[in-house]
Structure formats: structure tokens, C-alpha cells
Amino acid sequence: MTILLITALLIVGVTGLMASIIPVQKTAAEDPLNRRYWQVLGLLILFFICGYFIFMFNVFSRQVGSLDLIVAMILAGGGVFVVLVTRVSYITIGDIKKITALERHRSLHDPLTDLPNRTLLLENIDSTINTSDREVCSFALVIIDLDHFKEVNDALGPHYGDYLLQLITPRLCQTVRGSDTVARIGGDEFAILLPGVDREGLIAACRKLKDAFISPFAIEGHSLTINISMGAAVYPENGREGELLMQRAEIAMYSCKTSGQAFVIYSGRHDAFTFDNLMMVNRLREDVKKHKAFEIYYQPKVRSSDHTLVGVEALIRWHMAGNNKVILPGEFIDLAEQGGLICNLSRMVLEYTFAQEAQWQTAGIDLPISVNLSVRDLRNPELVVLVRQLLEQSNLRPENFLFEITERSMIHEKDNTHRIIYELHKLGLSFSIDDFGTGYSSLSLLKQLPVKEIKIDKSFILDMLVDNDDRAIVNSTINLAANLGLQVVAEGVENSSLAEALEESGCDILQGYFICPPLPADEMIAHCLEHGLMLPAA
């Protein structure tokens, strides 16, 4: 009976030792740093198995006693202990590796889209550089920025902004090849690494990416069209390091935003472009500080029914030193925003326009002036103080001024902007919604805010004679404004055919080069008189 029990215990021990060999082998294969130690452990287990068999044969060849039973129990426990330790070690090491891999994935991927982040993208760029050097080929890096994403976020809320980013991710991934890397490197910035692509392949890829955003995105039953700006850099001609390629692709992307092109591939001139921008901001800062080199041009707005002059829009021009041409607002307003100069610039425009209105009133001309306000102006509480002071000092009626704000400005920090709009309205000022139809505002804002008129964006006006969709938008806007009791201004009236079509559609006011181009005050008055436009008397 004792011999049978000892045999059973030894079998248990040997079975445990033999079962431990498998996890030891797997652990050695998956833990290269400690492989030698696991191999030694495997040899020791084999050595123990041999010892178990020697003890077993020894037991069978002689009379067994209680001591042999105790030894067999210890050996059986040892075998079970070894198999448990090796199995637990294998499982623990596997779990640790899974946790480590998960943490690495989290550290190298964007949590919202699960795309590689900037860190992993740079690792992939460095790896692609090594491959490209070895195979003597080029590759490209494209950086994509979503235009006006902040406005979408503000209008719809951050939840839908995140949802939009998640919708964009699969569209990007489906547009590129399987070997390409799509990464999210910032709030609304994506990057695409294109291995083995030359300049021609890059151009084709950028066009394909641009086309991918033609179709709108569906969010809560609404269609939202997103425009993108793309900048690209090519290895090795634009740089031989990952960070440098990223920097130059971003420079190209910002150049794309400024130029309005579909995409921009970096070239040496873009360095000069960024330097020129810096110099331009410095000159702008000096000229704003000194209140020099600026002039206000005025563009008439006429009543469509009788071509009576009903007002003018004030448009700033900059005569920058060393530049022979007059610089238009589109070339420096963004720089003024970036340089923190826009509020000072708006203050100067208001001072100039109030002085001009006073001159016209003295001359017996009652010509209201429309002044454009930026998003930052509507967040600046000093604006209300300035306008109140100008009204008191000039003794002008607030009805002689109309502030033009964009749809996008109405949805930026609504509480602050709406408060300032209402405070200005308490002073007697009215508002016009500029570029109507191009933003993301709710129609309910037209009822909530003290709006007097809406200006249909010229992008709809210019093609309304040949594009039925544009014509439908123009007519619908005119009807909407009529139902809300608002005036409608059509800007961008470039010829008589457009003017006649707008008159037939019931548009109240016309503005554009067909009526009169923007001109300095005296020249504008002379042009109106010469072309038979009636000036309103004070």
C-alpha cells in the first residue's frame, strides 16, 4: 500500500515538473532580456525530473519506510509548486506586457480618434527616413487643418466637434493607401505620411484628399461641408529631419490658408513669406500706434427702386512704407488679429468715420456709415465706452452708424458678444449681418439680436445668373428677410444684369463696383454726383 502511495506522489511531482516546461519555454521566447535565465531554469527542471525517476527506481529496489513516504510527499509538492510558479509567472509576465503595450498605445495614439499622435508620427518619419536612405527614394508629409473648426465647435458644441473629428478620421483613412500613416497632431490638425511618394504622387494625393471633403458630413440630420487647408513637405529636398519636415509642412499649410489655394507644397520662398509676415506685423504695429499710413475708403449703398444713396460702407486701406500699392484689408486684417492689433485698428477706423460723418453733416449731407467690427471687438468692453464718447463728443445721431458683424462673430463666446451688442444697441446703434449664408449661426439669432439688415455674401450674388442654386439661395434670403422685417443688401453687384435681376427679386439695397468702387470720401461723393446718384440731405 505504501509503495503505491509513493508511486502516485512521484507521478504527481513528475507531471507537475513536465507541465512546467511549456510555460518556461513560452516565457523564454517572449522575454528576450531574461531568456538565458529561463533556459537555465528549464535545464534545472529536466535535472529534477531525472532525480525523481532515480528516486522512484531506488524505491522499487528496496524495502520502503515512512521516511520514503515523507520524501515522496515533498517531491510531489515541489512539482506542484514549480508548475504553479511557472504558470503564474508566465501569466503575470503576459499581463504586464499587455498593460505595457496598452500604455504605450495610449501614449502614442490620440484618445478620440485612436490615430497615431505627433510622437508616434515622428517615430514613423524617422523610420521612413532610414528606409528612404537605404532604398534611395523620397517620401512626403502632408498636414491638414480644418478651416473654421472653432466656429463649428462654438456653434454646435464640443461634443459635436469631437463627433465631426471622428467622422473625418475614417474618410481620411479610406482616401490614402494602406501603407500610409494618418495621424492627429492637434485639435483640428491631421498629418499624413506618404512613403515612397515623389512630387507628382504628392500632388495626386493632395487632390484626392481635397476631393474627399467635397461630400458633406451628416450631423444630427444636418449636412455640414468642411473645407481644409493642406501644406506638404518632401524628403529629402525640404529637410532631412522629422521635426524640420513637420515645421515646413506647417509653414506650407499656413501659406495655403492665406493664399486660398487647394494645397501648398513647401519651397524656400515660404521661409521668406513667414519672415515677410513678421516684418509686416511690426510695420503694422508702428503705423497703428502712430495713426499714420491709413485711409478710409467708402463704397456707396443705393436703394434698388430709385438708386438713391442710402449709406456707405467704410473700408480701411493701408499705405505701407516701402510698398507702392494700396494694401487691402484682406492682406493685413488677419495679421492684425494675430498680432493683437485689431481692437486698436477698429478704434482708429471709428474715430476716422465719426470725423467724416461730422464733416458730411456740416456740409448738409446725411449719409449713414457702416463700420465692420471683428470678433475681438465684440469681446472688448472698451468698445461701448469708446462709441459712447464719440457720440457725445461729435453730437452725431447713433442712427448715422451701422455696425456690420459676421455670422461667425455672433457665435463666439455668445454671452460676452451678445452683451456688448445689446449695450451698443442701447446707445441707439443698429447692426447688419455681413456675409450672410456663409456661417453656422442659427436663424433664431436674427430674432434675438437687434439686427436691421442682412448682407447676402457676394459669393452667391456673382454666379446667381448662371447657377440656379445660388439664385435660389438669394431669393430665399430676400423672402426670409422680408418676412422678418429686415432690409437686404446685395454686395458684389458687378454689372447691370445682376442689378436688374436683384431689383426684380425684391432686393432692397445694392452695393458693388457697378454702383461705385470703394473710393476716398471726396472722390466717392464726386463719383456719385457725376453718375446721377442722389445724396440724402441732412
Side-chain angles (χ1 to χ4, degrees):
M1 186 68 182
T2 304
I3 190 68
L4 291 177
L5 184 57
I6 291 175
T7 302
L9 290 171
L10 290 175
I11 291 174
V12 170
V14 170
T15 303
L17 290 174
M18 294 181 68
S20 67
I21 293 176
I22 295 176
V24 168
Q25 288 178 331
K26 289 182 177 180
T27 306
E30 297 178 12
D31 188 10
L33 291 176
N34 299 304
R35 181 174 297 165
R36 187 167 297 176
Y37 299 107
W38 289 105
Q39 289 173 343
V40 170
L41 178 59
L43 292 174
L44 287 174
I45 291 172
L46 292 174
F47 176 77
F48 288 144
I49 291 173
C50 293
Y52 276 50
F53 279 111
I54 291 172
F55 179 74
M56 187 181 299
F57 289 129
N58 182 264
V59 167
F60 288 150
S61 62
R62 60 180 174 79
Q63 185 72 27
V64 296
S66 58
L67 182 61
D68 293 320
L69 180 61
I70 293 172
V71 171
M73 293 174 63
I74 294 172
L75 292 176
V80 173
F81 173 77
V82 170
V83 72
L84 290 176
V85 169
T86 53
R87 290 284 298 174
V88 170
S89 298
Y90 174 70
I91 293 171
T92 302
I93 291 173
D95 290 342
I96 291 172
K97 293 188 73 169
K98 288 178 182 178
I99 293 171
T100 303
L102 181 60
E103 288 301 317
R104 175 173 168 77
H105 182 88
R106 287 175 177 171
S107 67
L108 296 177
H109 289 77
D110 171 54
L112 180 65
T113 62
D114 203 38
L115 291 175
N117 60 17
R118 180 182 286 265
T119 302
L120 183 54
L121 176 65
L122 285 170
E123 288 185 10
N124 290 349
I125 292 175
D126 290 340
S127 175
T128 307
I129 288 174
N130 294 332
T131 303
S132 298
D133 288 344
R134 188 170 57 253
E135 298 178 0
V136 192
C137 63
S138 61
F139 69 87
L141 177 67
V142 180
I143 290 184
I144 299 172
D145 184 84
L146 309 181
D147 295 340
H148 307 302
F149 178 74
K150 188 178 187 304
E151 284 87 340
V152 176
N153 232 6
D154 291 341
L156 302 179
H159 171 74
Y160 289 108
D162 290 346
Y163 180 53
L164 176 61
L165 293 173
Q166 291 173 330
L167 292 178
I168 287 172
T169 297
R171 189 172 294 191
L172 286 175
C173 294
Q174 291 164 11
T175 304
V176 300
R177 304 168 301 175
S179 59
D180 300 332
T181 300
V182 179
R184 183 184 177 210
I185 58 175
D188 61 346
E189 278 191 359
F190 294 84
I192 301 177
L193 179 62
L194 304 168
V197 168
D198 57 13
R199 196 176 186 86
E200 290 183 2
L202 171 60
I203 292 172
C206 287
R207 287 174 177 164
K208 193 175 179 182
L209 287 165
K210 193 74 174 178
D211 291 343
F213 281 80
I214 293 177
S215 300
F217 294 88
I219 298 181
E220 288 296 305
H222 301 285
S223 293
L224 187 63
T225 300
I226 296 295
N227 293 319
I228 59 173
S229 298
M230 285 186 290
V234 181
Y235 178 87
E237 60 188 86
N238 296 145
R240 303 191 67 90
E241 296 178 0
E243 288 282 4
L244 183 58
L245 285 170
M246 289 272 287
Q247 178 185 349
R248 290 182 168 172
E250 286 180 342
I251 288 173
M253 183 269 292
Y254 286 117
S255 175
C256 178
K257 274 188 175 296
T258 304
S259 65
Q261 295 173 258
F263 58 89
V264 171
I265 300 175
Y266 175 85
S267 67
R269 65 183 174 84
H270 291 117
D271 282 334
F273 170 82
T274 53
F275 178 75
D276 289 345
N277 275 1
L278 179 61
M279 296 302 295
M280 200 171 183
V281 170
N282 288 335
R283 290 179 182 177
L284 185 63
R285 181 174 286 106
E286 287 297 318
D287 287 349
V288 170
K289 183 178 180 180
K290 297 176 181 177
H291 275 223
K292 69 173 189 177
F294 294 99
E295 185 177 10
I296 305 299
Y297 281 34
Y298 297 89
Q299 187 171 37
K301 303 192 300 186
V302 301
R303 190 182 297 116
S304 62
S305 58
D306 58 9
H307 282 210
T308 299
L309 195 60
V310 295
V312 294
E313 180 180 359
L315 300 164
I316 193 170
R317 299 292 187 265
W318 182 23
H319 301 279
M320 186 175 71
N323 196 321
N324 294 326
K325 68 173 184 176
V326 176
I327 301 179
L328 302 178
E331 299 179 55
F332 66 86
I333 290 298
D334 285 345
L335 293 177
E337 292 264 11
Q338 296 168 14
L341 303 172
I342 193 66
C343 290
N344 291 334
L345 196 62
S346 296
R347 180 187 184 95
M348 184 174 59
V349 171
L350 286 169
E351 290 173 350
Y352 284 1
T353 52
F354 269 77
Q356 183 59 64
E357 181 66 29
Q359 289 182 25
W360 281 336
Q361 293 289 331
T362 302
I365 301 172
D366 187 16
L367 201 54
I369 300 177
S370 298
V371 179
N372 291 280
L373 296 180
S374 72
V375 175
R376 292 197 182 186
D377 289 324
L378 294 176
R379 297 202 300 258
N380 179 17
E382 295 181 5
L383 176 66
V384 179
V385 177
L386 172 63
V387 172
R388 184 184 293 112
Q389 289 176 347
L390 290 172
L391 287 170
E392 292 172 353
Q393 293 169 4
S394 63
N395 290 320
L396 293 171
R397 291 177 295 116
E399 294 80 7
N400 288 113
F401 298 92
L402 185 68
F403 287 153
E404 294 192 7
I405 58 178
T406 64
E407 282 187 277
R408 296 186 182 98
S409 68
M410 295 191 298
I411 58 177
H412 271 280
E413 298 184 19
K414 287 183 182 180
D415 291 342
N416 290 332
T417 57
H418 290 194
R419 178 175 54 80
I420 289 177
I421 287 173
Y422 280 115
E423 288 184 12
L424 289 170
H425 183 59
K426 288 178 182 177
L427 297 178
L429 280 301
S430 296
F431 291 84
S432 172
I433 306 301
D434 197 11
D435 301 334
F436 186 80
T438 62
Y440 306 102
S441 67
S442 167
L443 292 177
S444 63
L445 290 177
L446 294 178
K447 295 174 62 179
Q448 297 172 12
L449 297 176
V451 176
K452 177 182 179 181
E453 71 174 29
I454 57 178
K455 297 184 74 173
I456 305 175
D457 186 68
K458 64 181 179 182
S459 63
F460 301 117
I461 301 295
L462 292 175
D463 293 329
M464 64 174 287
L465 297 181
V466 295
D467 189 316
N468 290 332
D469 290 338
D470 283 349
R471 190 179 189 110
I473 290 172
V474 171
N475 290 334
S476 298
T477 304
I478 292 172
N479 292 332
L480 171 68
N483 291 330
L484 293 176
L486 304 175
Q487 290 186 137
V488 180
V489 180
E491 54 182 353
V493 182
E494 306 295 324
N495 53 60
S496 59
S497 298
L498 279 174
E500 291 171 4
L502 288 163
E503 289 174 21
E504 292 174 2
S505 297
C507 183
D508 301 304
I509 299 170
L510 307 179
Q511 179 183 349
Y513 274 70
F514 174 68
I515 309 299
C516 178
L519 294 169
D522 293 341
E523 294 180 31
M524 186 273 298
I525 295 294
H527 182 280
C528 291
L529 293 173
E530 182 181 342
H531 289 80
L533 295 176
M534 295 178 285
L535 302 177

